[in-house]
Amino acid sequence: MSDKYKPYDLSFKKTFLLPKFWPVWFGVFVLYLFAFMPVKPRDKFARFIATKLFNLKLMAKRKKIAKINLSMCFPEMDDVEQDRIIMVNLVTFCQTILSYAEPSARSLAYNRNRMIVHGGENLFPLLEQGKPCILLVPHTFAIDFAGLHIVSYGAPFCSMFNNSENELFDWLMTRQRTKFGGSLYHRKAGLGALVHSLKNGESCYYLPDEDHGPKRSVFAPLFATQKATLPVLGKLAQKTNATVVPMYAAYNEKLGKFETFIRPAMQNFPSESPEQDAVMMNKEIEALIECGVDQYMWTLRLLRTRPDGKKIY
């Protein structure tokens, strides 16, 4: 395999034991303790933390971004509903963080029991047939849990990883994300790595909703607004003959379970134009978000690039 397409290096380095990494190890220790705490009281504790964070000044910027996104996508939505969605977002974030060590700390059986899958018939038969699939997965806090669950059944998978400024944190994240199988490529490897893997029969995760600026994007509708959208998914599917399957990851506090919603594979995709591909993809993203509007990461700068060039954040 070309060095360019080698998966992320998961080998342990002795430098991870240096004192500068001790705070990270302490954080891991705390999360491991939470991984063995009963779910219901842990979720209540996470909700308590979220309520304390909600009105802090450090949240003001993120809340502003979320309100702008929500008001542009749903002009009819009032402030009360916006605040409810932002609060659920924050609660879900806290509950997910306190659950984060479960895949590493707990058994496969335990982790599978924490997941409910809706629409598995839209994906698992394709994987059993060896058909490479591109999972179209918008940003939610539960995306790692959904991916780990699907990979645990043995289908070959790959995804991309963007490193942080902490080498140990990156190693821990990539190690967990590949615990049940699959491989991770650094984002610098580019789409070529995904093309390489898909042509070799692997499936992949594709997160479609970040704003990459006007030069690389086309504008396509997203709910009541226009969004700068990368016209990449159609090209990826065309080059690899992969099936695009939309998927949404969420957390259900009432059930104390992670939920994965899998929609039917996209039909007549890709189309004859990148612009139409972007429209079709955003339609699927809309349908996925409607599985749980309050689960979506509205705090991302999703609408940074505007058709008129004005800044809204």
Side-chain angles (χ1 to χ4, degrees):
M1 180 186 295
S2 168
D3 287 343
K4 184 179 180 181
Y5 299 140
K6 278 189 176 180
Y8 202 89
D9 182 10
L10 294 173
S11 58
F12 182 83
K13 298 178 181 178
K14 291 181 180 180
T15 54
F16 292 160
L17 300 176
L18 292 173
K20 67 177 182 178
F21 292 122
W22 290 358
V24 177
W25 286 116
F26 178 74
V28 170
F29 172 72
V30 172
L31 288 178
Y32 263 63
L33 293 179
F34 276 118
F36 289 93
M37 185 177 178
V39 172
K40 290 296 183 181
R42 186 180 68 201
D43 280 354
K44 287 183 179 179
F45 179 58
R47 177 172 282 277
F48 170 77
I49 295 173
T51 57
K52 295 300 181 183
L53 291 175
F54 187 77
N55 292 314
L56 293 182
K57 287 185 178 180
L58 62 88
M59 286 296 300
K61 188 174 182 179
R62 287 296 171 186
K63 286 166 69 174
K64 179 182 178 181
I65 292 171
K67 280 183 169 290
I68 291 172
N69 288 336
L70 287 166
S71 63
M72 293 185 70
C73 288
F74 308 104
E76 73 287 354
M77 186 180 290
D78 59 27
D79 286 342
V80 174
E81 180 62 8
Q82 288 180 5
D83 284 342
R84 186 197 70 80
I85 288 173
I86 295 168
M87 184 65 200
V88 173
N89 244 218
L90 186 55
V91 170
T92 303
F93 168 73
C94 292
Q95 291 170 338
T96 303
I97 289 296
L98 297 190
S99 305
Y100 212 78
E102 286 183 0
S104 292
R106 305 299 297 266
S107 67
L108 175 57
Y110 176 89
N111 280 279
R112 283 181 174 170
N113 187 54
R114 285 275 277 149
M115 179 66 66
I116 299 172
V117 178
H118 308 276
E121 68 277 5
N122 296 318
L123 174 63
F124 289 114
L126 295 173
L127 298 179
E128 290 170 0
Q129 295 164 18
K131 177 70 175 176
C133 296
I134 302 171
L135 298 188
L136 178 68
V137 191
H139 279 83
T140 62
F141 297 111
I143 53 176
D144 279 7
F145 292 87
L148 283 164
H149 181 81
I150 291 171
V151 169
S152 74
Y153 288 96
F157 259 88
C158 71
S159 188
M160 307 294 286
F161 181 80
N162 197 20
N163 63 299
S164 69
E165 295 180 357
N166 189 294
E167 192 178 3
L168 174 58
F169 179 79
D170 294 342
W171 178 78
L172 290 165
M173 290 283 288
T174 53
R175 182 175 175 273
Q176 173 160 290
R177 288 176 177 177
T178 56
K179 179 179 179 181
F180 301 133
S183 56
L184 278 171
Y185 296 104
H186 195 284
R187 188 170 290 183
K188 291 179 181 177
L191 287 177
L194 295 184
V195 171
H196 175 84
S197 291
L198 287 163
K199 285 185 175 180
N200 285 335
E202 289 185 294
S203 295
C204 77
Y205 240 41
Y206 182 78
L207 280 62
D209 40 3
E210 290 184 276
D211 187 332
H212 291 271
K215 292 183 179 180
R216 301 170 60 188
S217 306
V218 298
F219 284 97
L222 182 71
F223 295 109
T225 190
Q226 294 283 316
K227 184 182 182 307
T229 306
L230 278 183
V232 168
L233 182 63
K235 296 176 183 177
L236 194 59
Q238 185 178 40
K239 285 183 178 180
T240 60
N241 197 31
T243 301
V244 178
V245 180
M247 189 176 87
Y248 197 67
Y251 184 66
N252 188 319
E253 183 182 0
K254 290 182 179 179
L255 298 177
K257 303 274 188 180
F258 291 96
E259 291 186 292
T260 300
F261 300 87
I262 305 173
R263 286 178 48 79
M266 293 181 68
Q267 300 299 312
N268 302 315
F269 186 87
S271 68
E272 295 181 355
S273 74
E275 292 77 14
Q276 182 60 26
D277 290 346
V279 170
M280 293 173 70
M281 183 183 78
N282 283 0
K283 282 292 183 186
E284 286 294 338
I285 293 173
E286 289 178 1
L288 290 169
I289 291 173
E290 286 170 352
C291 292
V293 175
D294 52 18
Q295 296 286 314
Y296 188 59
M297 286 189 188
W298 295 106
T299 53
L300 297 176
R301 296 177 184 270
L302 303 164
L303 306 173
R304 179 182 57 189
T305 303
R306 309 312 306 143
D308 57 9
K310 292 183 179 179
K311 293 183 178 181
I312 61 171
Y313 302 128

